[in-house]
Amino acid sequence: MKQTKEFRREAVRIALNSGLSRKRVATDLGIGKSTLGHWVSQYRTADLSTPEPQADLARENERLRLENRVLREERKILKKATQFFARQKP
């Protein structure tokens, strides 16, 4: 599927500014890491316009996805610990 120019620009902006790895950004956006790398090499930082509200939302969305993943892992660990201690009899 061919991505729109706007989608590619936003993907590059997220990859360069979000603080997330390119692999993570590519996975979250449903594209290949090499594809994202190619887009980044095509678009220079100077070519990207100043962030628009949509770009800010995309970065916030990426940050929240990462936080959500961490919280899910923590919850899973706590469930296992609760089950372990519930089985222990005094």
Side-chain angles (χ1 to χ4, degrees), residues 21-64:
S21 69
R22 287 190 185 172
K23 181 178 180 181
R24 168 64 191 224
V25 172
T27 300
D28 287 347
L29 294 175
I31 58 175
K33 181 182 171 192
S34 60
T35 300
L36 181 60
H38 180 69
W39 293 349
V40 169
S41 67
Q42 282 182 333
Y43 293 101
R44 295 194 175 114
T45 304
D47 294 338
L48 299 175
S49 61
T50 56
E52 300 170 4
Q54 286 291 356
D56 292 337
L57 289 175
R59 279 195 299 278
E60 178 69 4
N61 199 10
E62 290 302 314
R63 187 189 67 75
L64 290 172

Side-chain angles (χ1 to χ4, degrees), residues 1-15 25-32 35-36 39 43 48 58 62 65:
M1 174 168 77
K2 183 137 171 108
Q3 306 296 342
T4 65
K5 189 173 183 176
E6 181 179 293
F7 178 86
R8 287 180 274 175
R9 290 173 67 85
E10 290 300 318
V12 170
R13 187 175 286 125
I14 291 168
V25 172
T27 300
D28 287 347
L29 294 175
I31 58 175
T35 300
L36 181 60
W39 293 349
Y43 293 101
L48 299 175
E62 290 302 314
R65 282 186 182 147

Side-chain angles (χ1 to χ4, degrees), residues 24 62-72:
R24 168 64 191 224
E62 290 302 314
R63 187 189 67 75
L64 290 172
R65 282 186 182 147
L66 177 61
E67 183 179 337
N68 195 10
R69 184 172 287 146
V70 169
L71 290 172
R72 278 193 201 123

